Amino acid sequence: MLKVYTKSGVAFQYPGNWTSENEDDGESWAVTVTSPGTAFFIVSLRPDNQTPAQVVDEALDALRAEYKELDVESVIETISGYPAVGYDIDFITVDTTIAAWSRCVSLAEGNLLVIGQVSEFDRRMYEDVLKAMLGSFTIADGDE
């Protein structure tokens, strides 16, 4: 069974056996959806003045501060009809390889940042699920 997360005109589907945790400070919000394994999916709306490229660069810089060797590829794609910028990222922790990605779109309400991550242990099981979650997005922007 699928669950649907909806907030601020943004909606996406996720598996019923995954858990979600919300943060909301009134202007910005974030939801973290976690698998029973190592995969997770973070969506946040940030009403700041940064460009989407600055937002994903900031997220990448945070990873670089923690992990010195990253394999990074720039990505431009479309999420629910909106242009998105981001990165596909691979890195190694003490015990495994991690596959991660970030995407950001600019909306009237702010920047929508989406991050997905899974370890090599669970990659076969959850990588396609994370991609399906990203593909399930619908966005009703305030300008429409």
Side-chain angles (χ1 to χ4, degrees):
M1 168 167 265
L2 291 176
K3 293 181 182 177
V4 177
Y5 181 86
T6 305
K7 186 156 183 86
S8 303
V10 174
F12 64 91
Q13 297 176 342
Y14 63 97
N17 65 335
W18 290 37
T19 59
S20 66
E21 185 176 318
N22 299 296
E23 296 177 33
D24 192 335
D25 73 3
E27 289 188 20
S28 63
W29 58 263
V31 60
T32 302
V33 182
T34 308
S35 76
T38 63
F40 63 85
F41 190 79
I42 300 171
V43 180
S44 65
L45 183 68
R46 302 168 35 155
D48 52 26
N49 293 325
Q50 293 181 308
T51 67
Q54 290 170 319
V55 171
V56 293
D57 285 348
E58 185 178 280
L60 181 62
D61 288 345
L63 269 178
R64 279 199 171 114
E66 190 74 25
Y67 304 98
K68 300 305 177 203
E69 294 187 34
L70 302 176
D71 182 20
V72 179
E73 182 179 333
S74 295
V75 177
I76 298 173
E77 66 177 293
T78 302
I79 298 175
S80 186
Y82 291 85
V85 296
Y87 297 106
D88 287 344
I89 308 157
D90 291 307
F91 59 96
I92 298 174
T93 64
V94 173
D95 59 349
T96 189
T97 302
I98 305 293
W101 46 261
S102 63
R103 303 292 187 269
C104 189
V105 299
S106 179
L107 304 176
E109 297 85 1
N111 288 305
L112 184 71
L113 176 64
V114 185
I115 297 172
Q117 182 173 308
V118 64
S119 77
E120 193 63 35
F121 295 125
D122 291 336
R123 196 169 187 169
R124 280 192 220 157
M125 184 179 298
Y126 295 122
E127 186 171 45
D128 287 343
V129 176
L130 290 171
K131 289 178 184 177
M133 291 167 65
L134 184 63
S136 74
F137 264 82
T138 57
I139 300 172
D141 196 0
D143 284 347
E144 291 187 346

